[in-house]
Structure formats: structure tokens, C-alpha cells
Amino acid sequence: GTRALVIGAGLGGIAAAGYLAAAGFDVEVFEQAEGPGGKAGSEMIGPYRFDTGPSLLTMPFVFDEWFESLGMRRSEHLGFVPLAPITRYFFSDGSALQSYSQRELFLDEIRSHTRENPEHVHDYLEACRKIYATAGSIFLRNSLHEKETWLSREFLRALPGLPFIGAMTKMDSINRRYFTDPRLIQLFNRYATYNGSSPYKTPGTMTLIPHVEYNLGAFGVEGGIRAIPDSMYAAARVKGALFHFSSPVEKILTEGHRVRGIRVGGERIESSVVVSNADVLSTYEKLLTAPDSPEARRYRTLEPSSSGIIFYWGVKKSFPGLGLHNIFFSSDYPGEFRWIFEKGDLPEDLTIYINITSKLSTADAPGERENWFVLINAPADCGQDWQTITRKVRRRVLEKLSSRLGIEIPPLLEAEGILTPPEIESRTSSTHGSLYGIASNSISASFRRHRNRCRYPEGLYFCGGSAHPGGGMPLVVLSGIIAAKLAIKNRRP
Ligand code: FAD
């Protein structure tokens, strides 16, 4: 078969590799780390196990489709568990609320815990469904940079609905239209952070994210998130993809307009197809020597998505009041996003996300203990003093949690790991440590992530969070499938 080389074994790279191998390509993957998964990593700290990156799974059908395209059944390799509740929300006024993707359960919760008319929530989630139905599959499943997409029957069918997908308004404005209880506005504004953006800037179209979580469901993964890269890696290998770890790619080789292969460990490996799962900017800046293309120049000007400061805490106590996913909201949400996206710093009062996988997989923490993954949204790295910032943030988080949970947390910590934006960058080559590639803080940024098939050099394809359709586990798997399909279509005899 034709040879295809994949740079990086993140979820996007594994997805592309498996798809291409199943289509008859001779696939080799080169990953700088010691194992597969990229941001979706796993780590032991003492007796506690942590998923180091993603924690919530949505759009499980994307994984079903990927395994199917390899001639396999997802359920035989990877188990998903629907969550009920999904997340426990703790508001700054002391009240709390649980979210559900089971509509009746959620509306009951709204009825008993808020001042909102549950019908508003119902109408809102149905409006989100419509946006997804109009825009979702076109934007998520196709390259936006191929004329076939714009000429497709699917696109023509969606055309009349496109003025109504909220592209010209902001997510926060749409949420204010539906809700009067400020807690629900805050709760649904939070979904902008799923792609590393601000709800006050990201277009209303992003309300398709709540549709995905509330109407299509949120899931836990048997064996932890790390079972996703592990099972996909195993499946891609069964199809014949070869993986090389501890193998940083040094250069993408070109000749004229075309890709010729890559250089790894000083060795030249020839191929007319190269798929980069590395961050788009780091591919341009570190791997390509060719002069800047207009695409590369445009990409450089885009705002990176937010990053995060993550504390991995082994806690020697169990908290029945906490669930698998927990959010402790700040009192000033607009202010928090201004700090992150405009000042490049963090506010005094922080929104805190805690994921406790030992609630689902007891083996992740010993006895009456819990593994807390604590994520604070943070600005992308632009040279801030992260040591000082992290020290301050750690103190504020511990103070807030101690006060909200009514017990001093610091004496309960018996294991700790910390991940900061510069470390995210150095581990996965994600430029500025951004979690989701570029931010969707404007219409053009939302709909113009980097193309999956490069014009220049030809033969280079992009998949992963910084390429279309964007970050998040299911989306990067879609990007791997789109990139693979384009490589198959453009295969040279
Ligand atoms: P990455 O995971 O970035 O992998 C790229 C790979 O390429 C890396 O392994 C890197 O080592 C390798 N590489 C780069 N350069 C080279 C080179 N020159 N040579 C060889 N290899 C190279 N998503 C969700 O769906 N739900 C969540 O709850 C969620 N939470 C998150 C929380 C955190 C803290 C983080 C960090 C991310 C989160 N995400 C979440 C996002 C999700 O993890 C990512 O979108 C997804 O895993 C990224 O996959 P990717 O294919 O873009 O590549």
C-alpha cells in the first residue's frame, strides 16, 4: 500500500493512523513521548491514579463510528457508562444543583432548586438541538476548506437554517434570553470553557455544546479516560499501524511543493503522505523549513484557547457531598473571563472544577480516600511568572474548598502533582499550553480552524485540537477521520 507517516500519537493521530491502516495504507506513527495518548494521559502519584487531562466524555457515537470503520465493535474494546447526575454545581450564594442528561430528572432539579421555570430549560435545550441539527454535522464532520463540502447536498439542505444558528450573537446573550435565574446563566455560560473560550465572546452557535451534553449524554469510561487512547492504540495496531515511541520527529521534508517524508533521529523516512497530530503552530515553527505560506501567517495571528492549572491531590478522606464532576463557581463570572483573556492572569475568586474518578473506579484511590483532579481555567502562557501565580492559586483554591466543605483541606492532602501551562506545552508541544488549540472568541476563529489538508506543502494533513473541527476528545477523533479521508481521496497512484 501507499505509505503514510503520522507525527504524534494523541487521540487525533491514533484516529488517523487506524483509519488509514484500515484503508490499506502502510502506516507508521512517531511519538516523542513514551506511550500513546498525548493530553489524554494517566499517572500514578503514590497510591492514587489520575487521568491527567480530559475527564468528561461526550459524543460517544464518534468512537463507535471510528471502531466500525476499522471493522470492530467499540463496546467489545471500550466501555462507556451514562452518568446520572453529570455534575454537581455549587454556587457562590451557597446553593447547589445537579445536572442530568435525563430531561425529566433535570427539570425536577430545576423546579426544586431554582427560581427558573423548567419550561425555559426545556425550550433552551431544544433550541440548542436545532442549532446542532443545522450546523453540527456539516461543521464537525467535513473539512470546511474543500469545495465539495460547500457543494454537498447536506450543506444545501442546511443553508436556509444557517442564519438562525446564533453566529452573529454571543453565547451569554442567548443564555440571557432564556433564563432569569443568574445561576442558570452561569451554568450554561460555562460550556464556552469546553473549547477554551469566553461565553461573552464565543458565538451563540456554541450552544450546540450543551446540546451535546444534555441531549446526547455525558459518559464515564470503564477503566478511566486512559482506556480511550489505550483501546484505540490497540485497535490501530491490529489494523497494522506501527507505532514508534520516544521518537520525536525533527523535520518534515519537502521538495518543491510536495511533502517527501520526515526526519527522525537523524534518519530520513520517505513518504508522500504525512499527517501531523502535533499542534499546528509547532508544526509550522519547528518541523517545516519551507517559507511561510499564507495559511501559516494567518494561523499565527489567532488567539490561543485558554489553558489550565491542574492540581492532582490524593485526599485521605471521602466526601459523600461530592460527585464524579463538581464545579464551585466564582461570584463574578464576567470578571473571571476578563482576567483570563484580557489580563492574562487569574482573579481572587476562582471557579474550581474537581473530578474524582474514585467515585466511579474505586481502585483509583485506596480505602476511604479520593483522587481529586482540580482544574482551574487559566490564560495561555505568554511568559507569566507561573510559579508565583500557581502558589497564589493553590492557596485560594484550598481556602475556598476548606470554607465550602467545612473542613481544613491542607492536612488531608497526602499526595500532590501540579501541571501548569508551560508544562502542558513542553509535554505535548501545545503552543502556549493551550488546551484546545485556538480560542473560539470570534466568529471567524470559530469557523476557521486550520484546514485538515494543507495547500502548501501538498501531502501534509493536520489532525488534532488545533485543526478543524477543534479540541476535545470526540472532535479530535473526527479531525483524524477527516484528515485520513482526505489523504485517501488524494492518494497518488
Ligand atoms: P495531543 O493530545 O496534543 O497529542 C499530540 C501528540 O503529538 C502528543 O502526544 C505529542 O507528544 C506529539 N508530538 C508533538 N510534536 C511531536 C513531534 N515533533 N514528534 C513526535 N511527536 C510529537 N477534552 C474532552 O473531550 N473532555 C475533557 O474533559 C477535556 N478536559 C481537558 C483537560 C485538560 C487538563 C487537558 C490538557 C485537555 C482536556 N481536553 C478535554 C482536551 C483533550 O484532551 C484534547 O483535545 C485531546 O486529547 C487532544 O488530542 P490531540 O489529538 O489534539 O493531540
Side-chain angles (χ1 to χ4, degrees):
T2 313
R3 188 183 231 181
L5 305 176
V6 179
I7 304 170
L11 288 174
I14 303 174
Y19 199 98
L20 286 168
F25 279 75
D26 294 328
V27 180
E28 288 192 56
V29 184
F30 296 85
E31 165 60 54
Q32 63 192 10
E34 287 165 17
K39 294 192 183 74
S42 174
E43 199 181 319
M44 292 296 299
I45 303 178
Y48 297 89
R49 191 196 74 84
F50 294 92
D51 286 315
T52 55
S55 52
L56 182 73
L57 174 71
T58 55
M59 302 174 79
F61 46 88
V62 167
F63 298 85
D64 297 0
E65 289 165 21
W66 183 81
F67 274 98
E68 229 163 75
S69 65
L70 272 67
M72 301 177 191
R73 276 167 72 127
R74 191 269 304 156
S75 56
E76 287 169 15
H77 304 269
L78 180 60
F80 295 153
V81 198
L83 299 179
I86 306 169
T87 301
R88 299 190 191 200
Y89 289 95
F90 300 89
F91 298 93
S92 57
D93 65 359
S95 64
L97 176 73
Q98 308 197 104
S99 64
Y100 293 88
S101 55
Q102 296 76 7
R103 182 68 56 87
E104 279 314 310
L105 289 176
F106 192 38
L107 297 187
D108 279 347
E109 187 78 9
I110 300 292
R111 202 170 287 123
S112 51
H113 287 81
T114 72
R115 294 185 295 276
E116 196 68 56
N117 179 348
E119 259 173 51
H120 296 166
V121 174
H122 176 80
D123 293 347
Y124 174 73
L125 291 174
E126 289 309 306
C128 297
R129 182 195 304 279
K130 270 199 201 122
I131 291 182
Y132 182 88
T134 306
S137 77
I138 295 184
F139 290 118
L140 299 179
R141 291 180 187 274
N142 298 288
S143 167
L144 292 186
H145 306 86
E146 303 287 320
K147 64 178 181 304
E148 286 80 358
T149 303
W150 304 103
L151 297 173
S152 67
R153 217 183 296 149
E154 199 186 359
F155 178 72
L156 294 177
R157 226 182 296 128
L159 205 52
L162 289 183
F164 308 105
I165 61 170
M168 304 309 284
T169 170
K170 306 291 176 215
M171 179 186 253
D172 173 63
S173 318
I174 294 206
N175 294 345
R176 277 177 196 285
R177 231 180 269 162
Y178 280 87
F179 308 118
T180 48
D181 189 326
R183 290 170 297 178
L184 286 177
I185 298 171
Q186 187 168 31
L187 190 154
F188 285 108
N189 274 351
R190 170 179 173 247
Y191 289 91
T193 66
Y194 278 32
N195 65 17
S197 308
S198 159
Y200 309 96
K201 291 182 174 173
T202 203
T205 314
M206 293 302 160
T207 54
L208 59 77
I209 304 174
H211 162 73
V212 162
E213 181 165 317
Y214 288 86
N215 297 335
L216 306 179
F219 297 81
V221 181
E222 283 167 17
I225 292 289
R226 74 132 174 258
I228 297 178
D230 286 354
S231 65
M232 290 178 63
Y233 162 63
R237 287 184 57 186
V238 167
K239 289 290 138 185
L242 282 177
F243 286 78
H244 308 274
F245 295 109
S246 307
S247 305
V249 172
E250 294 145 5
K251 280 284 171 247
I252 295 172
L253 307 171
T254 54
E255 201 181 289
H257 282 294
R258 292 224 34 108
V259 154
R260 278 284 162 254
I262 58 174
R263 199 180 72 215
V264 186
E267 197 192 325
R268 200 183 151 92
I269 304 171
E270 309 256 334
S271 173
S272 59
V273 177
V274 172
V275 181
S276 179
N277 179 216
D279 178 274
V280 170
L281 266 184
S282 81
T283 304
Y284 279 130
E285 270 160 25
K286 298 187 193 137
L287 301 182
L288 281 166
T289 33
D292 252 4
S293 68
E295 271 170 284
R297 279 200 297 274
R298 181 189 79 90
Y299 198 82
R300 258 180 246 284
T301 64
L302 299 176
E303 179 189 10
S305 85
S306 56
S307 185
I309 295 177
I310 301 113
F311 301 99
Y312 307 94
W313 282 333
V315 181
K316 54 181 180 191
K317 180 178 163 43
S318 72
F319 288 79
L322 297 178
L324 177 62
H325 302 283
N326 311 273
I327 290 283
F328 289 86
F329 272 125
S330 64
S331 54
D332 176 13
Y333 220 31
E336 190 172 348
F337 285 96
R338 271 197 306 275
W339 274 94
I340 294 175
F341 287 103
E342 281 153 39
K343 299 184 195 161
D345 199 345
L346 287 116
E348 184 70 34
D349 185 13
L350 301 156
T351 293
I352 303 170
Y353 166 69
I354 311 181
N355 171 234
I356 309 175
T357 64
S358 61
K359 299 275 184 194
L360 198 70
S361 324
T362 47
D364 287 350
E368 289 291 295
R369 291 165 155 80
E370 293 180 346
N371 63 339
W372 288 13
F373 164 104
V374 179
L375 168 70
I376 310 299
N377 290 319
D381 178 25
C382 55
Q384 297 93 324
D385 174 0
W386 288 106
Q387 230 181 341
T388 307
I389 294 181
T390 306
R391 202 176 330 112
K392 271 195 253 171
V393 166
R394 185 178 183 280
R395 178 181 47 75
R396 292 173 196 166
V397 169
L398 286 169
E399 275 171 12
K400 178 162 173 165
L401 291 177
S402 300
S403 132
R404 290 304 301 264
L405 295 169
I407 181 168
E408 279 306 305
I409 302 296
L412 300 176
L413 303 185
E414 60 172 9
E416 177 166 35
I418 300 179
L419 189 66
T420 61
E423 286 151 357
I424 295 175
E425 166 151 23
S426 66
R427 281 196 201 175
T428 60
S429 304
S430 197
T431 314
H432 309 297
S434 71
L435 298 189
Y436 303 94
I438 58 168
S440 297
N441 280 338
S442 68
I443 308 175
S444 62
S446 309
F447 301 116
R448 290 183 62 212
R449 281 171 184 275
H450 200 279
R451 55 171 64 229
N452 304 100
R453 177 173 68 91
C454 237
R455 278 227 189 97
Y456 183 87
E458 269 174 60
L460 175 63
Y461 299 84
F462 277 111
C463 63
S466 53
H468 178 77
M473 295 186 287
L475 266 51
V476 305
V477 169
L478 287 173
S479 79
I481 296 175
I482 296 171
K485 281 183 174 164
L486 289 168
I488 293 166
K489 198 179 103 196
N490 292 288
R491 176 171 8 197
R492 304 220 300 188

Short mmCIF file of all heavy atoms in Angstrom, two decimals, residues 130-131 133-139 149-166:
data_model
loop_
_atom_site.label_atom_id
_atom_site.label_comp_id
_atom_site.label_asym_id
_atom_site.label_seq_id
_atom_site.Cartn_x
_atom_site.Cartn_y
_atom_site.Cartn_z
N LYS A 130 -31.59 22.30 17.80
CA LYS A 130 -31.80 22.77 16.41
C LYS A 130 -30.51 23.30 15.81
O LYS A 130 -30.21 23.08 14.65
CB LYS A 130 -32.87 23.88 16.39
CG LYS A 130 -34.25 23.32 16.22
CD LYS A 130 -35.21 24.40 15.73
CE LYS A 130 -36.63 23.96 16.07
NZ LYS A 130 -37.33 24.92 16.92
N ILE A 131 -29.77 24.03 16.64
CA ILE A 131 -28.50 24.58 16.12
C ILE A 131 -27.57 23.45 15.72
O ILE A 131 -26.96 23.47 14.66
CB ILE A 131 -27.86 25.51 17.19
CG1 ILE A 131 -28.71 26.76 17.32
CG2 ILE A 131 -26.42 25.84 16.82
CD1 ILE A 131 -28.18 27.78 18.29
N ALA A 133 -28.48 20.44 14.87
CA ALA A 133 -29.02 19.74 13.71
C ALA A 133 -28.68 20.48 12.43
O ALA A 133 -28.40 19.88 11.40
CB ALA A 133 -30.53 19.57 13.85
N THR A 134 -28.68 21.83 12.50
CA THR A 134 -28.39 22.62 11.30
C THR A 134 -26.90 22.64 11.00
O THR A 134 -26.47 22.36 9.89
CB THR A 134 -28.85 24.08 11.50
OG1 THR A 134 -30.23 24.06 11.87
CG2 THR A 134 -28.68 24.87 10.22
N ALA A 135 -26.13 22.95 12.04
CA ALA A 135 -24.71 23.24 11.79
C ALA A 135 -23.79 22.09 12.16
O ALA A 135 -22.71 21.95 11.60
CB ALA A 135 -24.31 24.48 12.58
N GLY A 136 -24.24 21.28 13.12
CA GLY A 136 -23.34 20.31 13.73
C GLY A 136 -22.60 19.42 12.76
O GLY A 136 -21.38 19.46 12.68
N SER A 137 -23.36 18.63 11.98
CA SER A 137 -22.64 17.61 11.24
C SER A 137 -21.84 18.22 10.09
O SER A 137 -20.78 17.72 9.73
CB SER A 137 -23.59 16.51 10.77
OG SER A 137 -24.31 16.96 9.67
N ILE A 138 -22.35 19.34 9.52
CA ILE A 138 -21.57 19.96 8.45
C ILE A 138 -20.22 20.45 8.96
O ILE A 138 -19.17 20.18 8.39
CB ILE A 138 -22.32 21.18 7.87
CG1 ILE A 138 -23.58 20.67 7.21
CG2 ILE A 138 -21.45 21.93 6.88
CD1 ILE A 138 -24.32 21.75 6.53
N PHE A 139 -20.27 21.17 10.11
CA PHE A 139 -19.02 21.73 10.61
C PHE A 139 -18.13 20.69 11.26
O PHE A 139 -16.92 20.80 11.22
CB PHE A 139 -19.32 22.87 11.61
CG PHE A 139 -19.89 24.07 10.93
CD1 PHE A 139 -21.14 24.53 11.24
CD2 PHE A 139 -19.16 24.73 9.94
CE1 PHE A 139 -21.68 25.64 10.59
CE2 PHE A 139 -19.68 25.83 9.28
CZ PHE A 139 -20.94 26.28 9.61
N THR A 149 -17.52 20.27 0.27
CA THR A 149 -18.37 20.48 1.44
C THR A 149 -19.46 21.50 1.12
O THR A 149 -20.63 21.32 1.46
CB THR A 149 -17.52 20.99 2.62
OG1 THR A 149 -16.50 20.04 2.88
CG2 THR A 149 -18.37 21.18 3.88
N TRP A 150 -19.06 22.58 0.45
CA TRP A 150 -19.99 23.68 0.19
C TRP A 150 -20.96 23.35 -0.95
O TRP A 150 -21.96 24.02 -1.12
CB TRP A 150 -19.22 24.97 -0.12
CG TRP A 150 -18.28 25.29 1.00
CD1 TRP A 150 -16.93 25.10 1.02
CD2 TRP A 150 -18.63 25.77 2.29
NE1 TRP A 150 -16.42 25.46 2.25
CE2 TRP A 150 -17.44 25.89 3.04
CE3 TRP A 150 -19.84 26.14 2.90
CZ2 TRP A 150 -17.41 26.33 4.35
CZ3 TRP A 150 -19.81 26.59 4.21
CH2 TRP A 150 -18.60 26.68 4.92
N LEU A 151 -20.62 22.33 -1.73
CA LEU A 151 -21.50 21.96 -2.84
C LEU A 151 -22.34 20.74 -2.48
O LEU A 151 -23.18 20.30 -3.24
CB LEU A 151 -20.66 21.62 -4.08
CG LEU A 151 -19.84 22.79 -4.63
CD1 LEU A 151 -18.92 22.32 -5.76
CD2 LEU A 151 -20.76 23.89 -5.12
N SER A 152 -22.10 20.20 -1.25
CA SER A 152 -22.77 18.94 -0.91
C SER A 152 -24.26 19.16 -0.70
O SER A 152 -24.72 20.26 -0.40
CB SER A 152 -22.16 18.37 0.38
OG SER A 152 -22.47 19.23 1.46
N ARG A 153 -25.00 18.06 -0.86
CA ARG A 153 -26.44 18.13 -0.65
C ARG A 153 -26.72 18.50 0.82
O ARG A 153 -27.63 19.25 1.12
CB ARG A 153 -27.06 16.76 -0.96
CG ARG A 153 -28.42 16.94 -1.63
CD ARG A 153 -29.09 15.61 -1.91
NE ARG A 153 -28.38 14.79 -2.86
CZ ARG A 153 -28.39 13.46 -2.82
NH1 ARG A 153 -29.04 12.82 -1.88
NH2 ARG A 153 -27.73 12.75 -3.72
N GLU A 154 -25.88 17.96 1.71
CA GLU A 154 -26.02 18.23 3.14
C GLU A 154 -25.95 19.74 3.42
O GLU A 154 -26.74 20.30 4.17
CB GLU A 154 -24.86 17.52 3.83
CG GLU A 154 -25.02 17.28 5.29
CD GLU A 154 -23.74 16.69 5.86
OE1 GLU A 154 -22.76 16.46 5.11
OE2 GLU A 154 -23.72 16.48 7.07
N PHE A 155 -24.99 20.41 2.78
CA PHE A 155 -24.84 21.83 3.01
C PHE A 155 -26.03 22.60 2.45
O PHE A 155 -26.58 23.49 3.09
CB PHE A 155 -23.54 22.35 2.39
CG PHE A 155 -23.37 23.83 2.57
CD1 PHE A 155 -23.09 24.34 3.83
CD2 PHE A 155 -23.54 24.71 1.51
CE1 PHE A 155 -22.97 25.71 4.01
CE2 PHE A 155 -23.43 26.07 1.69
CZ PHE A 155 -23.14 26.58 2.94
N LEU A 156 -26.45 22.23 1.25
CA LEU A 156 -27.57 22.95 0.63
C LEU A 156 -28.82 22.80 1.48
O LEU A 156 -29.60 23.73 1.63
CB LEU A 156 -27.80 22.42 -0.79
CG LEU A 156 -26.62 22.74 -1.73
CD1 LEU A 156 -26.86 22.12 -3.11
CD2 LEU A 156 -26.39 24.24 -1.85
N ARG A 157 -28.98 21.61 2.06
CA ARG A 157 -30.14 21.38 2.91
C ARG A 157 -30.07 22.26 4.16
O ARG A 157 -31.08 22.75 4.66
CB ARG A 157 -30.21 19.90 3.32
CG ARG A 157 -31.62 19.34 3.16
CD ARG A 157 -31.72 17.89 3.60
NE ARG A 157 -30.93 16.98 2.79
CZ ARG A 157 -30.05 16.11 3.28
NH1 ARG A 157 -29.82 16.02 4.58
NH2 ARG A 157 -29.40 15.29 2.47
N ALA A 158 -28.87 22.49 4.68
CA ALA A 158 -28.71 23.28 5.92
C ALA A 158 -28.81 24.78 5.67
O ALA A 158 -29.13 25.55 6.57
CB ALA A 158 -27.37 22.95 6.55
N LEU A 159 -28.57 25.18 4.42
CA LEU A 159 -28.43 26.59 4.08
C LEU A 159 -29.54 27.50 4.65
O LEU A 159 -29.24 28.51 5.29
CB LEU A 159 -28.35 26.73 2.55
CG LEU A 159 -27.64 27.96 1.99
CD1 LEU A 159 -26.27 28.14 2.61
CD2 LEU A 159 -27.53 27.83 0.48
N PRO A 160 -30.82 27.16 4.47
CA PRO A 160 -31.87 28.05 4.96
C PRO A 160 -31.82 28.25 6.48
O PRO A 160 -32.26 29.28 6.99
CB PRO A 160 -33.17 27.35 4.58
CG PRO A 160 -32.80 26.24 3.65
CD PRO A 160 -31.36 25.96 3.81
N GLY A 161 -31.29 27.28 7.20
CA GLY A 161 -31.26 27.37 8.67
C GLY A 161 -30.07 28.16 9.19
O GLY A 161 -30.05 28.58 10.35
N LEU A 162 -29.06 28.37 8.35
CA LEU A 162 -27.80 28.95 8.85
C LEU A 162 -27.94 30.33 9.49
O LEU A 162 -27.24 30.63 10.46
CB LEU A 162 -26.73 28.94 7.76
CG LEU A 162 -26.20 27.54 7.41
CD1 LEU A 162 -25.09 27.63 6.37
CD2 LEU A 162 -25.68 26.80 8.65
N PRO A 163 -28.85 31.20 9.00
CA PRO A 163 -28.99 32.49 9.69
C PRO A 163 -29.45 32.34 11.13
O PRO A 163 -29.36 33.29 11.91
CB PRO A 163 -30.04 33.23 8.86
CG PRO A 163 -30.06 32.55 7.52
CD PRO A 163 -29.65 31.13 7.77
N PHE A 164 -29.95 31.16 11.50
CA PHE A 164 -30.53 31.01 12.84
C PHE A 164 -29.63 30.21 13.79
O PHE A 164 -30.10 29.73 14.80
CB PHE A 164 -31.91 30.37 12.72
CG PHE A 164 -32.80 31.09 11.75
CD1 PHE A 164 -33.06 30.55 10.49
CD2 PHE A 164 -33.31 32.34 12.08
CE1 PHE A 164 -33.85 31.24 9.58
CE2 PHE A 164 -34.09 33.03 11.16
CZ PHE A 164 -34.37 32.48 9.91
N ILE A 165 -28.38 30.05 13.44
CA ILE A 165 -27.52 29.26 14.33
C ILE A 165 -26.79 30.12 15.35
O ILE A 165 -25.89 29.65 16.04
CB ILE A 165 -26.50 28.39 13.55
CG1 ILE A 165 -25.56 29.27 12.72
CG2 ILE A 165 -27.22 27.37 12.66
CD1 ILE A 165 -24.38 28.51 12.12
N GLY A 166 -27.19 31.37 15.45
CA GLY A 166 -26.62 32.21 16.52
C GLY A 166 -25.22 32.69 16.25
O GLY A 166 -24.51 33.11 17.17
#
